[in-house]
């Protein structure tokens, strides 16, 4: 531990210590609040979440009484997310704005908020949650790209406006007055997608991360080119990694987008990607010719069977120990914990 230099007040050092302790304290509070989560993990009772309740919770109505089960389920999901976020973010210790975040946390979220001044919205991009396609949409809306169907490698930096590049007063104005949205995904599915893409296809990631992971967790792994990282080795690496230092492709969504400091107007789901994307495009009144892109032909989606295979062929200890790092993503966005019971894995 570094001593506080002379001249700095004790109050300031206490504030810094509080900021450093916030993630762990918050995680502990969420674990306590989520109905014995750790006990469920330890016993292998991992999320077989049943269907939504037959009637909407308080505050929801069927309107004309003709809502389909799917519409009702979606309404329940959104209500659950909204209530959970309000309950957690309403705690006194939680940040009320980006200016209350520690500097590193603030830099991360401002670096992930993309701006459209023309259509007055902010989009917090989350890697592995269709963010490349959303960036295409932003470029088309701003006139930098002719069509979302233009072929070629996606440039993730050029012709995009990042909130973090603006002055404080400009940031505050847009956070207060612009429409803000985010898209989320099942945390484990997102991790598997990142693993398959980065270590199975991207040489840069194999060399930068894969070589080190194999060297660290495998005996006689010094000769690896980083293209043979196992899923278990990847999860062990995540378990040992500081969340705030993680690569954005596997950093928890909570840390990337800070849903307590930034009050999002809409939370879309990867599972309802096109329907939710169309909702956003309608809300911002985008031109009729702008549509959300279709999935690329080369893209290999993570299916339920693929996820089942990887989870059930990974040491259960690793998954149980890693879950607390992503617990806020499960908890706030109403995703079930992965089922890794013996019975499920025998199926």
């Amino acid at each position: 531990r570094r001593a506080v230099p002379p001249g700095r007040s004790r109050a300031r050092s206490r504030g810094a210590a509080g900021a450093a302790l916030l993630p762990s304290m918050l995680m502990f509070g969420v674990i306590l609040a989520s109905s014995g989560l750790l006990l469920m993990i330890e016993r292998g009772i991992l999320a077989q979440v049943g269907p939504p309740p037959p009637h909407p919770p308080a505050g929801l109505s069927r309107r004309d009484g003709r809502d389909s089960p799917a519409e009702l389920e979606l309404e329940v999901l959104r209500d659950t997310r909204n209530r959970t976020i309000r309950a957690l973010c309403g705690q006194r210790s939680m940040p009320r704005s980006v200016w209350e975040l520690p500097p590193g946390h603030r830099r991360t979220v401002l670096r992930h908020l993309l701006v459209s001044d023309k259509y007055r919205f902010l989009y917090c991009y989350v890697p592995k949650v269709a963010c490349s396609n959303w960036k295409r949409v932003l470029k088309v809306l701003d006139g930098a790209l002719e069509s979302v169907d233009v072929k070629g490698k996606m440039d993730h930096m050029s012709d995009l406006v990042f909130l973090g590049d603006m002055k404080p007063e400009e940031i505050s104005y847009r956070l207060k007055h612009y429409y803000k949205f985010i898209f989320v995904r099942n945390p484990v599915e997102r991790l598997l997608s990142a693993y398959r893409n980065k270590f199975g296809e991207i040489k840069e990631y194999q060399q930068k991360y894969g070589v080190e992971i194999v060297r660290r967790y495998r005996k006689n792994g010094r000769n690896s080119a980083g293209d043979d990282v196992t899923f278990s080795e990847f999860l062990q690496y995540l378990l040992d990694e500081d969340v705030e230092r993680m690569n954005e492709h596997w950093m928890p969504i909570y840390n990337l987008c800070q849903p307590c400091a930034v009050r999002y107007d809409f939370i879309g789901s990867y599972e309802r990607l096109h329907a939710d994307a169309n909702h956003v495009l309608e809300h911002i009144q985008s031109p009729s010719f702008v549509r959300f892109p279709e999935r690329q032909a080369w893209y290999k989606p993570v299916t339920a069977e693929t996820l089942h295979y990887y989870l059930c062929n990974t040491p259960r200890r690793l998954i149980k120990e890693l879950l607390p790092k992503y617990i806020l993503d499960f908890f706030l966005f109403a995703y079930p914990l992965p089922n890794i019971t013996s019975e499920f894995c025998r199926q």
Side-chain angles (χ1 to χ4, degrees):
R1 296 182 182 178
R2 287 180 287 184
V4 178
R8 290 191 181 181
S9 67
R10 289 186 178 181
R12 184 172 178 180
S13 74
R14 282 198 301 270
L21 285 173
L22 177 60
S24 58
M25 292 174 64
L26 177 59
M27 186 176 294
F28 179 70
V30 171
I31 289 171
L32 286 180
S34 55
S35 304
L37 176 60
L38 287 183
L39 183 61
M40 291 169 63
I41 294 173
E42 185 62 33
R43 292 181 177 177
I45 308 172
L46 298 179
Q48 279 291 84
V49 175
H55 301 289
L60 297 182
S61 67
R62 285 181 176 267
R63 295 185 293 274
D64 60 2
R66 292 180 293 181
D67 285 358
S68 69
E71 289 172 332
L72 179 58
E73 184 175 355
L74 176 61
E75 199 171 356
V76 170
L77 171 64
R78 287 178 176 164
D79 182 74
T80 300
R81 285 177 175 169
N82 291 336
R83 288 168 183 261
T84 305
I85 291 173
R86 282 200 303 269
L88 178 69
C89 298
Q91 301 300 311
R92 287 185 179 181
S93 60
M94 299 306 295
R96 296 293 193 275
S97 76
V98 296
W99 309 116
E100 295 182 17
L101 293 169
H105 297 208
R106 183 165 62 247
R107 280 194 299 272
T108 296
V109 65
L110 292 181
R111 196 167 59 233
H112 285 82
L113 280 165
L114 294 172
V115 183
S116 173
D117 283 328
K118 185 176 181 180
Y119 291 92
R120 297 176 64 85
F121 70 78
L122 301 177
Y123 158 58
C124 187
Y125 79 87
V126 178
K128 308 313 298 178
V129 191
C131 76
S132 294
N133 280 341
W134 268 116
K135 288 176 181 178
R136 288 180 187 274
V137 170
L138 262 75
K139 292 187 180 191
V140 172
L141 288 174
D142 288 342
L145 198 64
E146 182 180 344
S147 166
V148 295
D149 297 321
V150 171
K151 304 298 181 183
K153 186 177 181 180
M154 178 67 190
D155 188 329
H156 289 266
M157 298 301 294
S158 68
D159 300 317
L160 293 169
V161 181
F162 296 83
L163 193 62
D165 292 334
M166 296 184 171
K167 297 176 182 178
E169 59 272 19
E170 296 173 330
I171 293 172
S172 294
Y173 177 84
R174 285 161 177 77
L175 285 170
K176 182 177 181 180
H177 296 287
Y178 281 19
Y179 180 71
K180 299 172 288 294
F181 69 93
I182 179 181
F183 273 70
V184 299
R185 185 179 187 179
N186 182 299
V188 180
E189 185 180 307
R190 178 173 169 248
L191 287 181
L192 179 55
S193 178
Y195 163 76
R196 295 172 74 201
N197 173 237
K198 300 308 174 188
F199 297 107
E201 302 171 0
I202 312 297
K203 193 169 185 178
E204 177 188 350
Y205 276 78
Q206 295 168 359
Q207 294 174 341
K208 184 175 181 179
Y209 296 98
V211 170
E212 173 60 26
I213 290 173
V214 173
R215 185 179 300 163
R216 191 187 299 184
Y217 300 111
R218 190 186 306 173
K219 291 182 180 179
N220 304 319
R222 293 187 176 274
N223 296 324
S224 171
D227 58 352
D228 59 344
V229 177
T230 68
F231 189 56
S232 295
E233 289 169 340
F234 175 58
L235 295 190
Q236 184 64 59
Y237 166 73
L238 296 181
L239 185 59
D240 295 337
E241 186 78 350
D242 179 5
V243 168
E244 287 303 320
R245 296 178 181 274
M246 283 183 176
N247 180 279
E248 63 177 8
H249 289 85
W250 42 81
M251 182 183 282
I253 297 173
Y254 178 88
N255 299 79
L256 287 173
C257 295
Q258 296 290 343
C260 289
V262 179
R263 301 302 172 93
Y264 292 98
D265 299 291
F266 182 75
I267 299 175
S269 297
Y270 185 82
E271 297 76 20
R272 282 180 42 89
L273 182 57
H274 278 81
D276 285 353
N278 288 335
H279 171 85
V280 171
L281 292 174
E282 288 177 11
H283 184 90
I284 65 173
Q285 297 182 342
S286 70
S288 58
F289 69 87
V290 179
R291 57 176 177 74
F292 196 77
E294 296 295 328
R295 178 183 291 164
Q296 299 291 331
W298 50 262
Y299 181 73
K300 300 176 183 176
V302 174
T303 64
E305 291 76 17
T306 307
L307 187 62
H308 180 280
Y309 172 82
Y310 276 94
L311 288 178
C312 291
N313 284 279
T314 299
R316 194 174 300 181
R317 172 195 64 83
L318 266 180
I319 298 172
K320 290 193 292 184
E321 291 180 3
L322 186 63
L323 283 180
K325 277 196 170 180
Y326 293 87
I327 198 61
L328 287 174
D329 287 359
F330 285 106
F331 184 69
L332 290 178
F333 306 127
Y335 281 108
L337 295 171
N339 189 346
I340 52 171
T341 60
S342 299
E343 179 182 357
F344 178 72
C345 287
R346 279 196 300 267
Q347 295 176 3

